[in-house]
Amino acid sequence: MLINCVAYEDGIKLADIQVDEIHDYATLPGCFVWVALHDPSPEELNRLQPEFGLHPLAVEDAHQGHTRPKVEEYGESLFVVLHLLEAEAEQPSMLQVGEVDIFVGPNYIVSVRNRSEHGFADVRERCEREPELLRNGPGFVLYALMDAVVDRYFPIIETLEAELESIEQQIFTQKAARASIERLYGLKQRLTVLKHAVAPLLEGAGKLHGGRVPQICAGTQEYFRDVVDHLNRINNTIDAIRDSISVAIQVNLSMVTIDDGEVVKRLASWASIFAVCTAFAGIWGMNFEAMPELKWRYGYPAALLLISSICGYLYYRFRRAGWL
Amino acid sequence: MLINCVAYEDGIKLADIQVDEIHDYATLPGCFVWVALHDPSPEELNRLQPEFGLHPLAVEDAHQGHTRPKVEEYGESLFVVLHLLEAEAEQPSMLQVGEVDIFVGPNYIVSVRNRSEHGFADVRERCEREPELLRNGPGFVLYALMDAVVDRYFPIIETLEAELESIEQQIFTQKAARASIERLYGLKQRLTVLKHAVAPLLEGAGKLHGGRVPQICAGTQEYFRDVVDHLNRINNTIDAIRDSISVAIQVNLSMVTIDDGEVVKRLASWASIFAVCTAFAGIWGMNFEAMPELKWRYGYPAALLLISSICGYLYYRFRRAGWL
Amino acid sequence: MLINCVAYEDGIKLADIQVDEIHDYATLPGCFVWVALHDPSPEELNRLQPEFGLHPLAVEDAHQGHTRPKVEEYGESLFVVLHLLEAEAEQPSMLQVGEVDIFVGPNYIVSVRNRSEHGFADVRERCEREPELLRNGPGFVLYALMDAVVDRYFPIIETLEAELESIEQQIFTQKAARASIERLYGLKQRLTVLKHAVAPLLEGAGKLHGGRVPQICAGTQEYFRDVVDHLNRINNTIDAIRDSISVAIQVNLSMVTIDDGEVVKRLASWASIFAVCTAFAGIWGMNFEAMPELKWRYGYPAALLLISSICGYLYYRFRRAGWL
Amino acid sequence: MLINCVAYEDGIKLADIQVDEIHDYATLPGCFVWVALHDPSPEELNRLQPEFGLHPLAVEDAHQGHTRPKVEEYGESLFVVLHLLEAEAEQPSMLQVGEVDIFVGPNYIVSVRNRSEHGFADVRERCEREPELLRNGPGFVLYALMDAVVDRYFPIIETLEAELESIEQQIFTQKAARASIERLYGLKQRLTVLKHAVAPLLEGAGKLHGGRVPQICAGTQEYFRDVVDHLNRINNTIDAIRDSISVAIQVNLSMVTIDDGEVVKRLASWASIFAVCTAFAGIWGMNFEAMPELKWRYGYPAALLLISSICGYLYYRFRRAGWL
Amino acid sequence: MLINCVAYEDGIKLADIQVDEIHDYATLPGCFVWVALHDPSPEELNRLQPEFGLHPLAVEDAHQGHTRPKVEEYGESLFVVLHLLEAEAEQPSMLQVGEVDIFVGPNYIVSVRNRSEHGFADVRERCEREPELLRNGPGFVLYALMDAVVDRYFPIIETLEAELESIEQQIFTQKAARASIERLYGLKQRLTVLKHAVAPLLEGAGKLHGGRVPQICAGTQEYFRDVVDHLNRINNTIDAIRDSISVAIQVNLSMVTIDDGEVVKRLASWASIFAVCTAFAGIWGMNFEAMPELKWRYGYPAALLLISSICGYLYYRFRRAGWL
């Protein structure tokens, strides 16, 4: 579905144009065309290909979808793939992975959004409000789109951090080992999705600043460095969370082991005390005829006293050993 | 076994030719010869060596087989080894490793397929359908072959991902710890096979695009970059699965430990309750003559009441402690 | 809040100046202006921007705060972000993360301190005491600030090392497995905060010495190398502590497992001994009429002897096996 | 011990010569001398040093032995150390580490074999059979020696792979946890020995092909690349085995934990059933006078029925819970 | 404390000189001065600074001590810090960390030894015995000192290797899990101390050979490469030991788990057998009036027979299952 097709001159919007007018505007000096598509049909995309001379391999990637994030140069033009992450509507703990494919050339930028509801109207507005920056051409629009996509990763990583913190508290206070591990495992899976969005992009975006950069990005290098800096921040946080998850699973298991160990020691201690009790009672429950103590007047209280002394002594020993 | 031997001119098939006609065609300007072999005898391979001036070390590798994937330059020509992976017919959970060795020069390409049933007839057809691309010469054929091989890795990695997902569900829901670990271990082994096919190739194929590339690939760099991109995707997925396996084994063991701990606590709790019961019964089962309570009219019900009260109290305590 | 605004010429303080005099002094040859702000309002910062021509992206970072440490070049000027770490007043085991953003140009240095009480008055004093070094200009002031910030990391890492050592002693001597693991986990969290302050800075500061360096730092390279050396030392210590924590958790769990295993063996051994005792007593407690040994004169002592022999023998065996 | 001292011209053997004739032959154009020593006395080595101008540090290394594998340039000449690995005669599971030190210059090659019985006579034969390759001079002989040494690593790594496979089968089928872990640990130790032979050599040999290479190897680069390729293959296999060992230990322990957990659950279940049985029997074994059910005609069978019903019910419950 | 102050010309010792004569000798062509200090007072060090023009940052490092090993260039001169490791006199299992700071310039070398009793008199002697090497100037002395320091690491690493081997034997043969883990942990700590001495030095010393090297080391590159080679060897051994420690802790814990599991199974099996015995005895110990078998003549032996048969059968089953 075509969302927008607008021509800009010197950073100022000229007009909303038709797809078949693209060629007229794109060839004007100082002019560029910004086309936005959403889940386009193959035909829509194919129609744009000859207008801008898009490379067949790039178009094929855009058709297929499900590629990893990347920044590729084709001659003078760039092909950029970004992942769009959104919490699923029904299951907020799952991340839905959409994709935006961006074709950028000296006089055009085409953004193709797939499998994601959250559009880029705000990016277009912001760009049009700052004509002195938009004057930098399609390279700046590319920056604005990347910046918007990367900024949307921050709330996600913050959710993951909060989730980790909530699990961490549970590890040491509540008894919910099984649930904690399930949650940690789910957290790890979401983190992997985010990592797959961030890590390859970090590598790709690094080519857009410092040293030799594509001509399109030449005037806006510092802006791309800013994007890389944000990606770096997210990436470091991902690695830190991942590390914490691994330790947390280990610690969780340790806590279970320690707790179980204590319970077992306690139960086994009590069982031992009563086993002793039973053994003595069993002795005097034997049916031998000649058991003189059975006839003693205070035999029974003496036996009870003996048994409780022994049990008391055991209790004292186990207590001191920290088992009870 | 010789499968095909065809001469092409400007991307158009000239003729199926005989091995002894190769020299005639290969020396025509704008012409190249594409030879396909399948599990060839040493003689077949040796016969081709002088025709194309294949390097002895490369031919030796092709004779021996079982080398790791690689891309090697010998002067103007290239020697490429790719692994072919197929699920074994009888045991679909095992991967069979075949190999295709490709010799590429300015005017020839020789592909030697070993230990694999799945041929490349479809690659040849696709190439012949696109003469404007095939005009790029043997370099493009090399791309087409690599692309076909790499594309065949995708269903394999998807099978592995599905397998992992199915195991993950079992970890938290079913009781099949032993089977889960066996399956995870088997998954890891297949993953290692795939990793051995992908990782060295990724390294080798990286030399075919960007910076200085072999002359043969000069015009088709962007295509090789596309192959590298696919390999990168597979490689990242492999690493993610491998990471998940390691965590899954750890989590699986944690679950077993937690479950066992709970069962042991439960059984030990019940055992303790009955041990207490037995101890008291043992006391009143002693044969002392002077045990006044034995003569009481309601001694027996009182004893039963006492015992069940104690057991009930223990039950309540254990329940509250979460052991029962 | 503006703390200071001073003009220097050839390393000597000229005068405390007003913000609107900055332009007059900054354009004098051999002169530079050093401005210090603390938790400034957005207006204060915006007012300085045109005076020094600060880059909008850098100013935006300073407004937002919470960026990772970095060293960025904007044309001739530098933008440096450092983390300030302080133990929290109420909870000394928590680290509070503040930030200082430093803008450096050929004739100015602006330091913006956020969320931290510990100021840099001592740095200014030290610089003014050494005019022959301060003559190097804003680059030297940058060094002095970085050096001061990094030096403040040392007591923190020493606290962490001491904490680790105290936990290590507990692992092998006291019985506080649960507390040890909690402390190790807390230690790991503080270490992560420190790592996030140090690692990116190490990377950034590496650009200020050796090879091509920004013009501003050209004359003071060796000083920046010294900062990098300190950062390297801290970074290595962090990695060593982190490694030790991981091993310590593992060892702690091992110790618990070994201890629990011993207790369980001991209790189970005693329980077995008394179970044997009870079983024998049970036999002679049966009510069969024809049990000749019950009538024996010395049946009872013989039975007691037999039972205690068996128990004694078991005790001896268990002892020898190391279970008791 | 001097084994061989032969002069070659244009790849053809000229003559077996004496050590004091070396100088005469080595200075002939197109001629080089190949000396082979085995566990030489310090004097033998020292006598060769001035003949070829060997560097004192290299000779010192050769005297001492026990250096790590390496490839070092000394001006125009090379000093190469390779590890020779052989299964020990008495204990085939141990690897004996020998060493061959190779000095190569433009007109000589000296190989010093230490602590290893397996000589290089076959290498010399193969070289002499291929004069067109031997014409490349000492660089080719170096290749031939390295190739021979590396080829001897393959059977070793295959033994280790077979050992791993045999252990892997045991993990899931037999009950030999302790033995499996001992074998895995031993495997890991042998693997470390192999790794120490391969990894540094891989690094060193990488300097002999691609980019700037020592003059001696200039004409035989592709051969050295072949050696590096073999080393890479071995190195990857080592890493894969090492990884598998680590997982296998983890899995082995998991299996033990799972198995033990099942046994404990089963035994504890039975113990619980009989504890219940004993408790009830204890009740009716009490000596209260007023226990009406004891006088009932069918009291005993009723009691037996009750007890076995309860036990049966427990059995059913435990069975369903998977503990029995 | 000043230990030595000697002037050398062309590798030959000229004279022991006074500190205030340094300037006279250091300015003679072909002459250099070698000063050795031991735990100097700040004044002694400060007095030397202007004589040789030592850099203030380097002198500050030497004053403070406790820096990490490093090799730093200050203009034409070098500042090198090495760690000196010695087993503590009272506690041979602890490593004491001393330090030697070396200032090297074109015509001087100053070595400052701190917190270490083991001096470098032997290095000086060896240098003076080889004037043809000492002629290379202060760079060669630097090599000789580094070589001596690094050579002293070898016995330490060998002690650690021996310690590891002794622990490894214990793991599989003796029962000393707790002690083994304590020893492994202590080993790891000493290893970390050694690692901190070696790893940064390896990095620093790498700058002294190959590619661009400081002028001072230009003629002795091959010697520094030899030092790097030794450091590499130590470093690899450290990594291997560290790896082994980690596996050994894991294996040790596995062994404990396996052993404990076996003991628990054995004890629980016996307990089960006797529980069965007790249960049956309890049945016939009930006081029901109508228990016909109690009146049977051979009731008692029959009961004993039944009980022992059942116990025997259980024993047989447990034995076969490998629990006894």
Side-chain angles (χ1 to χ4, degrees), chain E residues 74-140:
Chain E
Y74 288 98
E76 280 200 298
S77 62
L78 281 176
F79 176 59
V80 178
V81 178
L82 306 171
H83 278 192
L84 300 169
L85 303 181
E86 287 165 32
E88 284 190 8
E90 313 92 57
Q91 242 186 307
S93 75
M94 298 291 284
L95 287 174
Q96 202 180 337
V97 183
E99 192 179 309
V100 59
D101 305 314
I102 310 174
F103 303 83
V104 201
N107 53 1
Y108 66 88
I109 179 158
V110 180
S111 73
V112 182
R113 175 160 51 93
N114 286 315
R115 302 186 308 286
S116 168
E117 290 315 305
H118 191 161
F120 295 108
D122 51 336
V123 176
R124 193 179 288 267
E125 275 171 34
R126 193 189 128 201
C127 285
E128 294 179 354
R129 273 203 313 275
E130 303 182 313
E132 75 284 3
L133 290 173
L134 191 51
R135 186 171 297 139
N136 283 305
F140 182 77

Side-chain angles (χ1 to χ4, degrees), chain D residues 113-125:
Chain D
R113 174 160 53 92
N114 285 316
R115 301 186 309 286
S116 168
E117 290 314 306
H118 191 161
F120 295 107
D122 50 337
V123 176
R124 192 180 288 268
E125 276 171 34

Side-chain angles (χ1 to χ4, degrees), chain B residues 8 11 26 30-34 76-78 80 102-110 127 133-146 215-218 220 224:
Chain B
Y8 295 85
C31 239
F32 74 91
V33 177
W34 179 355
E76 280 201 298
S77 62
L78 283 176
V80 178
I102 308 174
F103 302 85
V104 201
N107 53 2
Y108 65 88
I109 178 158
V110 180
C127 285
L133 290 172
L134 191 52
R135 186 171 296 141
N136 283 305
F140 182 77
V141 178
L142 173 61
Y143 154 73
L145 286 169
M146 286 177 75
Q215 190 56 31
I216 293 171
C217 309
T220 43
F224 285 107

Side-chain angles (χ1 to χ4, degrees), chain C residues 264-324:
Chain C
V264 164
K265 276 188 288 195
R266 183 169 304 163
L267 284 171
S269 297
W270 280 115
S272 292
I273 290 176
F274 282 101
V276 168
C277 193
T278 304
F280 274 88
I283 297 287
W284 286 307
M286 293 194 296
N287 295 323
F288 286 98
E289 287 189 353
M291 292 174 71
E293 67 268 43
L294 297 182
K295 270 102 193 173
W296 295 351
R297 188 164 178 188
Y298 297 107
Y300 180 49
L304 288 185
L305 192 68
L306 179 64
I307 291 175
S308 25
S309 313
I310 293 175
C311 290
Y313 173 68
L314 286 177
Y315 178 82
Y316 164 74
R317 284 288 299 270
F318 293 167
R319 188 99 210 179
R320 224 188 42 187
W323 305 343
L324 274 175

Side-chain angles (χ1 to χ4, degrees), chain E residues 199-266:
Chain E
L201 185 56
L202 188 54
E203 189 192 323
K207 293 183 267 176
L208 303 181
H209 80 94
R212 196 202 74 82
V213 299
Q215 189 56 31
I216 294 171
C217 309
T220 44
Q221 277 196 48
E222 274 145 2
Y223 289 91
F224 285 106
R225 186 176 62 193
D226 199 56
V227 169
V228 168
D229 190 57
H230 288 180
L231 282 170
N232 253 324
R233 181 136 59 101
I234 296 172
N235 200 37
N236 288 349
T237 311
I238 290 175
D239 289 346
I241 296 181
R242 192 200 289 237
D243 197 43
S244 292
I245 288 177
S246 154
V247 178
I249 290 181
Q250 199 190 2
V251 163
N252 200 345
L253 187 54
S254 300
M255 283 296 154
V256 169
T257 303
I258 293 172
D259 278 356
D260 279 9
E262 272 165 22
V263 170
V264 165
K265 277 188 287 194
R266 183 169 304 162

Side-chain angles (χ1 to χ4, degrees), chain A residues 32-88:
Chain A
F32 75 90
V33 178
W34 178 355
V35 186
L37 298 169
H38 181 204
D39 288 331
S41 63
E43 293 73 33
E44 286 178 300
L45 206 53
N46 287 340
R47 201 174 149 201
L48 289 173
Q49 176 168 7
E51 295 290 344
F52 301 120
L54 309 179
H55 194 282
L57 282 174
V59 174
E60 196 185 312
D61 272 343
H63 276 313
Q64 287 184 349
H66 302 285
T67 58
R68 54 181 210 117
K70 60 182 171 187
V71 174
E72 287 184 343
E73 283 188 78
Y74 288 99
E76 281 200 298
S77 62
L78 282 176
F79 176 59
V80 177
V81 179
L82 307 171
H83 277 191
L84 301 169
L85 302 182
E86 288 164 33
E88 282 189 10

Side-chain angles (χ1 to χ4, degrees), chain A residues 70 73 178 185 286 300, chain B residues 168 225 229 259 287 293:
Chain A
K70 60 182 171 187
E73 283 188 78
R178 173 185 279 278
Y185 200 77
M286 293 194 297
Y300 179 48
Chain B
E168 278 175 344
R225 186 176 61 192
D229 189 57
D259 278 355
N287 295 323
E293 67 268 43

Side-chain angles (χ1 to χ4, degrees), chain C residues 103-119:
Chain C
F103 302 84
V104 201
N107 53 1
Y108 67 87
I109 179 157
V110 180
S111 73
V112 182
R113 174 159 52 92
N114 286 315
R115 302 186 309 286
S116 168
E117 289 315 303
H118 191 161

